[in-house]
Amino acid sequence: MNNILRIAIQKSGRLSEDSLKLIKECGIRFDNGAGKLKTSATNFPAEILFLRDDDIPGYVEDGVAHLGIVGENVSEESDRDVNTVHKLGFSKCRLSIGVLREHDYSGVQDLEGKSIATSYPKLLGKYLSENNVTAQIHEISGSVEIAPSIGLADAVCDIVSSGSTLLSNGLKEVETIFKSEAVMIASKHLTAEQQQLLDQLLFRIKSVQVAKNNKYILLNCPTNAVDEITKYLPGMKAPTVMPLATEGWCSIHSVINENDFWENIEKIRLAGAEGILVIPIEKMIL
Ligand code: ATP
Ligand code: ZN
């Protein structure tokens, strides 16, 4: 089993769907029949283990799984000896401190001597000691947000994405202590073959991620507008410019980055582009 990659992903939860999607987008096919704990890929030397996210860092440290997909929050809190090999860009959230809305909070020193309920005692403890605050950490494993309203703690330290859970429990977010997204973690004891398979997988993941950040664009424009328009469309090497059957007109093909998409589209249109088509890219090999 030295030449197979065992990849641990969350069995059911917020990471599951995107983890499965990423593996599939990398061209790895497998049967994920409901309720399965393990499955083998049919076209790549890999097995997928379906686990609780909290167990994944430990399995990867022990080498039972060679790779794992988890939130950085879980990986950091576990403090396991693993390598974080790539950020995956999904399940973005933050670990924040919340206090009751009516609390007149003026800064982290307000937490001195207070009790804080959390499922993240290590990350919270580190944050408090970095800020020279001594507080009582009350470790609970779920439904942390209700702790202040039932008198269990003065504050909470929990995962937040929109903040609506805090709000609906009468809390306000006062400090962000950690920003998280899904990451790929790897065992420190991979064989040479496994490292090679990991490199192949990372190459595929990066190609999928770059493709998601770019779109293929086609447009027509008067020949005298080509120089102005191509300033906004550098392409992978250079844009393709072809003459149209209509005299004095060209077609330009290129890629456009998602980040400044609307701003550049506007400039291109003002420069004289017509019939602009924008198409998603499935993979991009740079
Ligand atoms: P398990 O049963 O596997 O232990 P869980 O209940 O601990 O699951 P989930 O709620 O499924 O965990 O969250 C998994 C991870 O998704 C979290 O550790 C965090 O990294 C991320 N996450 C949590 N809440 C959100 C959110 N609201 N938006 C985006 N990502 C989130
Ligand atoms: Zn969990």
Side-chain angles (χ1 to χ4, degrees), residues 54-239:
D54 314 67
D55 294 334
I56 292 175
Y59 276 77
V60 173
E61 181 184 55
D62 297 344
V64 174
H66 308 111
L67 297 182
I69 297 179
V70 278
E72 273 174 302
N73 51 316
V74 166
S75 179
E76 287 295 316
E77 178 66 26
S78 77
D79 206 16
R80 298 290 189 152
D81 193 21
V82 296
N83 286 328
T84 300
V85 290
H86 198 60
K87 294 198 181 224
L88 300 173
F90 57 85
S91 292
K92 289 194 174 170
C93 58
R94 53 195 189 273
L95 189 59
S96 290
I97 295 179
V99 298
L100 284 168
R101 217 166 336 164
E102 53 274 22
H103 183 117
D104 190 15
Y105 185 86
S106 63
V108 66
Q109 66 285 351
D110 276 17
L111 298 169
E112 182 70 34
K114 298 279 175 16
S115 64
I116 310 174
T118 189
S119 307
Y120 295 87
K122 286 194 191 130
L123 288 175
L124 175 60
K126 188 160 161 260
Y127 175 81
L128 292 174
S129 73
E130 279 167 6
N131 285 280
N132 299 315
V133 170
T134 307
Q136 190 199 335
I137 298 177
H138 202 99
E139 185 178 351
I140 49 180
S141 59
S143 305
V144 170
E145 323 75 53
I146 75 159
S149 60
I150 59 172
L152 187 68
D154 302 306
V156 299
C157 172
D158 202 9
I159 291 294
V160 177
S161 61
S162 68
S164 59
T165 310
L166 286 183
L167 272 182
S168 63
N169 284 284
L171 301 168
K172 61 181 174 187
E173 187 176 353
V174 291
E175 305 287 350
T176 295
I177 75 165
F178 188 78
K179 289 206 168 116
S180 179
E181 65 185 90
V183 287
M184 177 157 278
I185 55 172
S187 156
K188 291 196 164 171
H189 310 288
L190 299 181
T191 63
E193 289 99 327
Q194 287 163 343
Q195 183 60 49
Q196 218 171 10
L197 290 171
L198 169 58
D199 292 343
Q200 274 184 40
L201 188 62
L202 286 176
F203 175 78
R204 295 187 189 188
I205 291 174
K206 286 173 194 166
S207 303
V208 170
Q209 286 179 329
V210 177
K212 277 192 186 146
N213 288 331
N214 288 279
K215 299 271 185 286
Y216 191 75
I217 179 165
L218 305 91
L219 59 89
N220 297 329
C221 67
T223 308
N224 61 15
V226 167
D227 288 349
E228 172 71 7
I229 291 175
T230 51
K231 274 202 288 191
Y232 306 112
L233 298 174
M236 285 166 79
K237 204 180 240 359

